[in-house]
Amino acid sequence: MKAIVLHQYGGPEVLKFEDYPDPVLGPGQVLVRVAAASVNPIDYKRRAGLTKEAAALPLATTTGNQLLSATGIKAGQTVLVVGAAGNVGRSAVFTAKQLGATVIAGVLKKQMDEAKTVGADQVVATDDDTAIANLSPLDAVADAVGGRTAEKLIAKVEPGGVYASVVGAPQNAAKYPSVKVVHVFSRFDRKTLEFMAEAVRDGKLVIPISEKLPLSKAAEAQAAAEKGGVGKILLVA
């Protein structure tokens, strides 16, 4: 069979399109032909050696669901989802709305129009300091981005609130001891995946596909993914 093989850490150029032995089935196993696979941030982080001995994240939908769940948000409370235009963020927004929460989508200014399609109650530009300053106190933040934005937003969480993130705690978290900071490590969960998959199937949750590339162009796909964007990139067999 054909496969993308990684022999060393590095940039997209270290991905090699090679022949690889067909899997040998053991007792009780089945062989599944993969038609397509999406390119995720974890893929190029692993390729670059940034996740040595760390668990790989599952599907974006499961990650977003578990990120939101980690906030402990309840019906009637307000949560800000950072990176809401991305697929993890969209999944978090959907999960929050299913719980009856008021959801604010946090996106970049250039994503404001697109963010209107994610199903949030409000949209705020996270690269607009004035907009952040004018935010009302939040019960929770679900962060899929991190960086300097996180340092600004943790200050908007009410005492006793939660700041959940898949990219680690804000650098200034120690200044806000009354805010519970949760670092989310996504894990496979069949029920969660089935729930999110059914939402996509039924059109309740939309995961945009921006590009489809053949498996032989995995390096090109990862290079494009590293530049950032909203839609998923698929590698098609």
Side-chain angles (χ1 to χ4, degrees), residues 80 104 122-124 126 130-138 153 156:
L80 171 64
I104 303 174
Q122 304 172 41
V123 180
V124 64
T126 53
T130 300
I132 291 179
N134 289 334
L135 278 174
S136 298
L138 304 166
L153 291 176
K156 306 301 295 187

Side-chain angles (χ1 to χ4, degrees), residues 77 136-141 153-163 175-181:
Q77 293 185 314
S136 298
L138 304 166
D139 295 298
V141 170
L153 291 176
I154 191 172
K156 306 301 295 187
V157 181
E158 290 189 301
V162 178
Y163 196 103
K175 294 174 58 177
Y176 302 93
S178 63
V179 176
K180 181 181 179 181
V181 176

Side-chain angles (χ1 to χ4, degrees), residues 45-128:
K45 290 178 181 178
R46 293 180 71 188
R47 184 212 69 224
L50 301 179
T51 58
K52 297 177 183 178
E53 322 229 37
L57 297 179
L59 300 173
T61 53
T62 302
T63 304
N65 179 283
Q66 293 177 353
L67 170 62
L68 192 284
S69 297
T71 67
I73 203 75
K74 296 179 175 61
Q77 293 185 314
T78 301
V79 59
L80 171 64
V81 177
V82 189
N87 291 315
V88 171
R90 286 169 179 264
S91 301
V93 169
F94 170 77
T95 303
K97 292 303 299 178
Q98 293 300 297
L99 294 173
T102 298
V103 185
I104 303 174
V107 297
L108 299 176
K109 292 177 184 177
K110 63 182 181 181
Q111 298 171 324
M112 291 290 282
D113 287 340
E114 184 162 8
K116 295 175 182 177
T117 68
V118 304
D121 299 288
Q122 304 172 41
V123 180
V124 64
T126 53
D127 51 350
D128 183 335

Side-chain angles (χ1 to χ4, degrees), residues 199-218:
V200 173
R201 180 198 64 193
D202 297 339
K204 298 176 181 178
L205 172 63
V206 177
I207 301 297
I209 304 298
S210 63
E211 194 171 3
K212 294 181 180 180
L213 296 171
L215 181 61
S216 59
K217 293 189 176 181

